Every structure is written in structure tokens, then in C-alpha cells.
Amino acid sequence: VILLADGAGKSTVGQPLPTQAQQSVRQVIHIRVLWQKPGGVRLDNPSATNAMIDWHVIASPRDRLTYSGSCWAYADVDGDEAELDIRNTTLSISQVEGAIDDPLKRASVSGKITLRRADATVKSYLTELSAFRSVPPATTPGPPARGESTP
């Protein structure tokens, strides 16, 4: 599931949402529901989670941050539409790139969201987000391999 910040892009019924390339500052929430609730699972336990959530704040290609965590998410799917109920969310900062401040430190999200299927838009955002996650961390040189000397 990809959620876009209010005002980031609007469409009418039957029309596609704007792609990520057509927008400027964005907030994108990516929720991966890993399993649905079987009978007997209690949701009032704070540790009840079945989904991973990443909240990306993207100010520019060089200025981004990501909050990551887990939540309880239940999707009631009906054709190309669904209602997603999110509970027990805990988010912490997981990645900062560029000159952007972390205003929240920790966050919580809950509520019900009505979703509409938009495969091309979801694919566009997932491509962008995967590139962000694959930024290699800074590396430090390790010790020389056996038989090598240091200058």
C-alpha cells in the first residue's frame, strides 16, 4: 500500500494519480501487510503487529528522511477498492539524507483509510523508494588482506 500526503496529488474517479515525477515535496507512506488476522487474535495487545511501515519525507533528491516501524493493519478488499484499518503503530527515524531535520523523533499513526487500486502509480513510487533504501552506507577501510602491506 502506498499513501500520499494530502494535496500531493488528486484525481477524479477513473483517472490515474500523478506520478512521483510530477510532484515536488512529498510524504509517502509504504505499508507492507504481511498476513491477515486469523480468528482468535486479540488486537488490544500493543505487540500485535502484522505489517511494516515506512514513512518517507522527501524534500528533494538530496534531502530525505524515513521513519520505520511496525503496525497492525487489516485490509477489507472489495474489487479495486479497500479499506485499511491501522493500529498499534510505532515509528522511529531510520534514515536521514541531506540537510533535513527530524522534527518527530518518534511517531504513531492510526485510523482507517479508503484505498483505490493504481498499479502504475504504486510501481513508480516503489521504484523511487527502493533507490532511496539502496543508498550505500559510508564505508571505512578495513585491515589489509593477508600478505598485503599498508602504505
Side-chain angles (χ1 to χ4, degrees):
V1 175
I2 295 287
L3 307 173
L4 307 176
D6 287 342
K10 300 203 185 281
S11 69
T12 56
V13 174
Q15 298 298 313
L17 290 172
T19 64
Q20 58 89 16
Q22 298 168 322
Q23 302 177 29
S24 58
V25 175
R26 299 178 312 279
Q27 294 185 60
V28 181
I29 297 176
H30 179 206
I31 302 171
R32 292 175 302 277
V33 179
L34 305 173
W35 53 272
Q36 289 280 45
K37 173 187 176 285
V41 172
R42 294 183 50 138
L43 299 181
D44 57 355
N45 184 336
S47 66
T49 61
N50 70 334
M52 302 301 298
I53 182 169
D54 293 314
W55 176 10
H56 303 272
V57 179
I58 305 166
S60 76
R62 295 181 205 187
D63 302 314
R64 311 163 167 243
L65 59 86
T66 302
Y67 297 91
S68 297
S70 59
C71 65
W72 173 258
Y74 176 74
D76 185 12
V77 180
D78 184 16
D80 283 350
E81 294 189 0
E83 184 170 279
L84 185 67
D85 185 6
I86 301 172
R87 303 180 193 181
N88 300 337
T89 306
T90 303
L91 296 170
S92 299
I93 191 73
S94 64
Q95 187 172 5
V96 178
E97 183 178 315
I100 188 169
D101 290 325
D102 170 16
L104 300 177
K105 308 297 184 222
R106 291 182 59 88
S108 179
V109 178
S110 65
K112 291 187 179 184
I113 303 158
T114 301
L115 308 169
R116 186 169 32 119
R117 187 177 189 119
D119 293 341
T121 302
V122 168
K123 184 175 181 178
S124 170
Y125 279 97
L126 290 177
T127 299
E128 179 191 14
L129 297 177
S130 68
F132 180 43
R133 283 190 295 268
S134 67
V135 172
T139 59
T140 56
R146 191 183 319 186
E148 291 182 5
S149 61
T150 56

